[in-house]
Amino acid sequence: MSRIFLSPPDLRPEDHAAVAAALASNWVAPVGPELALFEAAVCERVGMSHAVALNSGTAALHLALTLLGVRQGDLVLCPSLTFAASSNPVRYCGAEPVFIDSEPRTWNMDPARLKEAIEVLSGEGRKPKAVIVVHLYGQCAEMDAILNVCKMHGIPLVEDAAEALGASYRGKAAGSFGLYSFFSFNGNKIITSSGGGMLLGNDGVEIARALHLATQAREPAAHYEHKDIGYNYRMSNVLAALGRSQLADLERRIAVRRGHFESYRDELGDLPGLRMMPVSNAGSPNYWLSCLTLDPAETSVTPDSVLHALAAEDIEARPLWKPLHLQPVFEGCRRFGGDVSESLFARGLCLPSGSNLDESGRKRICDRIRACF
Ligand SMILES: *Cc1c(COP(=O)(O)O)cnc(C)c1O
């Protein structure tokens, strides 16, 4: 029996052909026509006007914060329950992250806690410079309330849609809400360019500035004049071809992942204390990862014991993200709330969810989980 990974790449012959064509065109040095085509395709899918393809989602967030002028001494609000990459770029800018707890309905940033944080910090004369919202595991945050709070206080919103390509909220695509937004095409995401990301926005001048910063901030002179500190953050043409061919397959990928979520729910939902991640009726997730919680009041089976039982059968599962306010590297950072994200971390588990996971693999997983009870 082969190992079952959490969310491995899923490449079809079309993807191999797309990379081969990019190589055959010799546009590998490293830019080329696939970049603009990939950017245009993502813009069209999401409904944003401008994009720049980059070598990671993390780089995209760093550039978004740079465009917003985030620097030393600034405060940036960010959910606690997320991957460290949602917050590391705040530190790259020399600024301080402030962590906001989750709400239980979507596990994302709690708009009430966000409002409280902005009011308290503004009252201290330290109005936050930006808010980063994350759509965890492919389900959108409560965007109406979050946008309202940001608008009321005039604070720009950056959307970390790294996990949420193809998801939507009240019919509007994830990645279309922020002043800037970004996706990740890292190896475990719903489409992958091996590694990569994309920054999107509606202001063409600002996105052009991001491109300039991402390509070593070279001024148009034969000797390369430099007026800014630049970065080497651009995606390569070969990888853009790989990303673009998978984007054309996005609907199938979402449907397969949604099928996993529904099967897990149908096959495991009767087990005591086991609940799938709640799905809000305001949105349509991309079901990137199927997550569940185990309620200790109803079962003695712990996420850890399920994790180990699965690992013994060569099946990869993972805890939910460890809240950033509990991470040693962010010790001492301010936070607003924390009980909800801590309790989710203690009770939660992510199950294998790849779009190349088949029914027999899923049955192996469900049988093993059932045997724990
Ligand atoms: C994957 C991920 C990122 C970072 O994207 P990379 O392309 O790996 O740099 C950021 N935020 C979240 C929530 C992610 O899951």
Side-chain angles (χ1 to χ4, degrees):
M1 270 187 299
S2 55
R3 178 161 171 80
I4 297 179
F5 290 96
L6 188 74
S7 179
D10 176 13
L11 299 184
R12 303 157 308 148
E14 294 91 312
D15 306 314
H16 291 257
V19 172
L23 291 175
S25 75
N26 206 37
W27 286 105
V28 292
V31 298
E34 281 291 335
L35 283 164
L37 292 170
F38 188 30
E39 288 161 353
V42 174
C43 279
E44 196 191 324
R45 182 73 177 68
V46 172
M48 281 287 228
S49 332
H50 301 277
V52 54
L54 301 165
N55 56 16
S56 73
T58 310
L61 179 55
H62 185 199
L63 291 178
L65 298 177
T66 304
L67 292 179
L68 292 173
V70 172
R71 53 194 166 91
Q72 186 101 42
D74 287 335
L75 299 180
V76 175
L77 307 187
C78 164
S80 187
L81 189 69
T82 183
F83 182 42
S86 301
S87 174
N88 282 337
V90 175
R91 282 282 178 81
Y92 302 167
C93 296
E96 273 298 304
V98 175
F99 298 116
I100 311 292
D101 203 3
S102 300
E103 39 79 5
R105 296 167 297 274
T106 71
W107 299 358
N108 288 306
M109 181 186 258
D110 184 341
R113 288 287 190 190
L114 175 66
K115 181 168 182 282
E116 178 196 343
I118 294 174
E119 287 171 1
V120 168
L121 296 169
S122 300
E124 295 171 8
R126 300 198 69 194
K127 183 174 153 180
K129 188 84 177 192
V131 172
I132 300 167
V133 68
V134 181
H135 307 307
L136 220 52
Y137 304 118
Q139 171 161 242
C140 286
E142 296 186 326
M143 291 312 297
D144 281 348
I146 289 170
L147 283 166
N148 248 330
V149 173
C150 290
K151 205 167 160 188
M152 201 156 67
H153 293 273
I155 301 176
L157 181 75
V158 177
E159 214 184 332
D160 176 346
E163 302 175 359
L165 182 66
S168 64
Y169 174 86
R170 299 200 194 287
K172 210 168 166 297
S176 68
F177 292 94
L179 183 60
Y180 301 113
S181 66
F182 71 94
F183 295 104
S184 166
F185 312 118
N186 188 38
N188 60 353
K189 299 301 197 302
I190 196 159
I191 70 170
T192 178
S193 59
S194 175
M198 197 177 289
L199 175 68
L200 292 90
N202 283 324
D203 185 330
V205 174
E206 287 297 307
I207 296 298
R209 181 165 161 71
L211 171 62
H212 172 72
L213 292 172
T215 48
Q216 308 283 24
R218 293 175 302 215
E219 296 294 328
H223 60 266
Y224 294 148
E225 189 82 358
H226 297 276
K227 298 179 185 164
D228 295 295
I229 294 296
Y231 305 95
N232 188 0
Y233 278 173
R234 190 69 159 135
M235 180 183 278
S236 90
N237 188 64
V238 177
L239 299 186
L242 181 56
R244 187 163 78 92
S245 73
Q246 287 166 75
L247 184 65
D249 183 41
L250 181 60
E251 296 316 319
R252 182 194 68 86
R253 287 161 185 259
I254 295 172
V256 172
R257 287 188 191 247
R258 181 186 181 132
H260 296 329
F261 182 90
E262 289 172 353
S263 297
Y264 285 134
R265 189 191 55 201
D266 294 348
E267 286 162 39
L268 303 173
D270 63 317
L271 293 171
L274 186 151
R275 275 176 209 91
M276 296 306 292
M277 177 174 166
V279 176
S280 152
N281 57 16
S284 176
N286 71 358
Y287 297 91
W288 174 54
L289 292 186
S290 284
C291 306
L292 57 77
T293 53
L294 295 168
D295 186 343
E298 294 170 57
T299 178
S300 58
V301 177
T302 62
D304 218 42
S305 63
V306 175
L307 211 75
H308 283 100
L310 292 172
E313 304 250 326
D314 220 7
I315 299 167
E316 184 189 22
R318 285 206 182 254
L320 302 187
W321 298 122
K322 179 174 179 173
L324 296 182
H325 73 266
L326 299 179
Q327 293 285 5
V329 70
F330 294 119
E331 201 184 321
C333 289
R334 287 184 75 167
R335 65 179 159 113
F336 287 81
D339 296 354
V340 178
S341 56
E342 284 180 24
S343 144
L344 286 168
F345 176 56
R347 292 181 294 126
L349 202 63
C350 307
L351 298 180
S353 306
S355 49
N356 43 11
L357 173 66
D358 61 15
E359 212 173 311
S360 71
R362 211 167 54 209
K363 183 170 179 331
R364 230 174 100 195
I365 297 160
C366 289
D367 287 350
R368 195 63 199 84
I369 294 176
R370 198 160 264 287
C372 293
F373 281 77

